Amino acid sequence: MRRAAAAATTRIRIGMAAEEVRQASAAATAAEAASASVPAPAGSRWARVWPSALRWIPTSTERIIAAEKRLLSILKTGYVQEQVNIGSAPPGSKVKWFRSSSDEPRFINTVTFDSKENAPTLVMVHGYGASQGFFFRNFDALASRFRVIAIDQLGWGGSSRPDFDCRSTEETEAWFIDSFEEWRKAKNLSNFILLGHSFGGYVAAKYALQHPEHVQHLILVGSAGFSSETDHSSEWLTKFRATWKGMLVNHLWESNFTPQRIVRGLGPWGPDLVRRYTTARFGSHSTGELLTENESSLLTDYIYHTLAAKASGELCLKHIFSLGAFARKPLLHSASDWKVPTTFIYGHDDWMNYQGAQQARKDMKVPCEIISPTGRTFCVYR
């Protein structure tokens, strides 16, 4: 979900008066607490006896998977969906998900598409506030050439949503990198192509830096997290932070007031907000031609259930980025350590641009390809 965290948060906050924002925050917190007081985890007694129509937040893990199946049913390519058990945590890991108060096993929701024999494996990692179903328009074309495997990162989509209690950038990175590595082991994968979009690009790149022996090629699509605030001094952001609105927005950011909390706070009115978002987000960029009416309806339903479910992985935001979505530990600073051939893909309005890609490749000592809206360049450094 490109720029969803920064843009959606900023648009919502700036347009509200200070008191209204504080009231919205309190209402959202109260709604989440009320929902939590009626436990309805997948397979529990409460989930069976408490009608979903009477829940303040009408969603569940089962409804996420059901929405996913409806969305993927429009594809021509067959697939297998599975919940891959990733255990608790590897020895010596800094991850916190094994300390969750929940005793449910940890799973990564995984979709593997039918492919030709001996086709190279392509693993796809979604961005912030998203899940693997956001790639649904890409799956058929990619599956004609690759063995495509798409996952929901831990804490998102149909994957397990443990309590998120990371307290630092290092712990937060370990949450995603280590859980992905445990998933790789469970799937017995090696020598695969790894594609990450937006925040998923950040995770994929960090994983490739730690485990280059498993990644044949890295593809970063509109990757976030390359530069820090000091790399790109922003005059408007400095001025905005000096205002009362800026101080309020920064406080909410550091308090992990995510867009998903607003969806949950609205309860049964949340789907309508998501419907408006989907229409504006995809309709304006496509002049109504990108998604059919059926696709738009199915995607809206899918997005709602993935956003409204228990807060988990989404709470990574403040630990990875500062206000304005500037990385606290930018990938650009690790370019000289790159060991995996990389392709950068970015659009007209994206996290990464030509200048950022060119800056990244200056220090890279591996084959590097840049694909942009205006053309394509290829460079090799040894």
Side-chain angles (χ1 to χ4, degrees):
M1 186 180 289
R2 188 177 62 199
R3 296 180 184 251
T9 304
T10 303
R11 285 197 301 271
I12 292 169
R13 309 305 192 279
I14 294 178
M16 302 174 68
E19 187 59 30
E20 291 174 323
V21 173
R22 284 191 288 270
Q23 290 176 358
S25 176
T29 302
E32 288 187 85
S35 176
S37 68
V38 183
S44 72
R45 180 176 62 87
W46 278 102
R48 292 192 296 269
V49 303
W50 191 264
S52 61
L54 298 181
R55 300 176 195 160
W56 178 252
I57 304 176
T59 191
S60 65
T61 301
E62 294 97 331
R63 297 189 72 173
I64 293 174
I65 300 301
E68 172 189 287
K69 289 181 178 179
R70 288 192 294 270
L71 179 63
L72 298 184
S73 69
I74 63 181
L75 302 180
K76 298 178 181 179
T77 308
Y79 70 91
V80 174
Q81 181 267 338
E82 59 181 329
Q83 298 281 61
V84 178
N85 192 327
I86 60 173
S88 55
S93 172
K94 297 180 180 179
V95 296
K96 298 281 188 173
W97 36 274
F98 65 99
R99 300 180 188 175
S100 169
S101 58
S102 168
D103 59 359
E104 296 179 2
R106 306 292 176 242
F107 295 98
I108 295 293
N109 186 43
T110 305
V111 175
T112 304
F113 291 88
D114 297 343
S115 62
K116 297 178 181 178
E117 189 176 357
N118 298 323
T121 298
L122 172 67
V123 177
M124 303 179 70
V125 183
H126 63 81
Y128 181 86
S131 43
Q132 56 84 13
F134 277 59
F135 292 120
F136 80 99
R137 269 298 194 97
N138 308 112
F139 287 144
D140 279 336
L142 291 172
S144 67
R145 300 185 59 184
F146 302 96
R147 177 195 177 207
V148 176
I149 305 177
I151 68 166
D152 290 336
Q153 296 194 70
L154 183 67
W156 274 319
S159 292
S160 297
R161 296 185 178 231
D163 299 333
F164 187 92
D165 56 3
C166 295
R167 294 292 182 266
S168 67
T169 302
E170 292 79 11
E171 288 182 352
T172 304
E173 289 183 353
W175 162 289
F176 294 105
I177 296 170
D178 290 357
S179 60
F180 182 85
E181 172 62 3
E182 292 305 296
W183 171 85
R184 183 202 65 78
K185 292 177 182 177
K187 291 290 291 181
N188 194 28
L189 292 175
S190 188
N191 197 34
F192 54 89
I193 301 168
L194 180 59
L195 181 151
H197 171 246
S198 190
F199 174 72
Y202 179 88
V203 173
K206 290 285 185 174
Y207 176 84
L209 282 166
Q210 288 193 24
H211 302 281
E213 68 278 9
H214 301 304
V215 182
Q216 174 187 344
H217 195 100
L218 180 66
I219 303 175
L220 302 180
V221 183
S223 180
F226 259 85
S227 60
S228 66
E229 192 172 345
T230 56
D231 295 330
H232 288 81
S233 178
S234 181
E235 184 178 351
W236 77 265
L237 182 59
T238 301
K239 291 181 179 180
F240 176 66
R241 277 179 168 167
T243 66
W244 67 267
K245 291 182 179 179
M247 289 186 286
L248 180 59
V249 170
N250 189 68
H251 172 72
L252 290 172
W253 181 281
E254 295 297 333
S255 300
N256 258 336
F257 190 90
T258 64
Q260 290 91 323
R261 289 188 66 181
I262 297 175
V263 174
R264 297 186 192 100
L266 289 173
W269 293 276
D272 185 60
L273 175 65
V274 175
R275 188 175 300 107
R276 295 181 183 183
Y277 163 78
T278 305
T279 301
R281 171 66 182 83
F282 297 102
S284 61
H285 288 283
S286 64
T287 63
E289 296 176 358
L290 178 60
L291 297 179
T292 66
E293 184 177 348
N294 184 47
E295 288 173 335
S296 180
S297 176
L298 292 173
L299 181 61
T300 295
D301 182 54
Y302 174 72
I303 291 176
Y304 170 73
H305 289 297
T306 60
L307 294 182
K310 175 187 173 182
S312 181
E314 75 190 60
L315 300 178
C316 71
L317 199 60
K318 74 168 186 176
H319 297 299
I320 300 295
F321 303 109
S322 62
L323 180 64
F326 293 105
R328 300 189 187 277
K329 288 186 174 296
L331 293 168
L332 197 60
H333 296 176
S334 303
S336 60
D337 298 325
W338 232 259
K339 296 180 176 64
V340 176
T342 303
T343 296
F344 297 101
I345 303 176
Y346 58 90
H348 286 288
D349 181 22
D350 220 326
W351 291 119
M352 173 168 279
N353 54 28
Y354 182 75
Q355 289 75 20
Q358 290 289 349
Q359 183 63 40
R361 78 174 187 174
K362 285 182 179 179
D363 294 331
M364 295 177 66
K365 300 178 177 62
V366 295
C368 164
E369 182 181 26
I370 301 174
I371 302 176
S372 71
T374 57
R376 167 183 177 134
T377 63
F378 181 77
C379 58
V380 177
Y381 286 83
R382 299 186 185 280

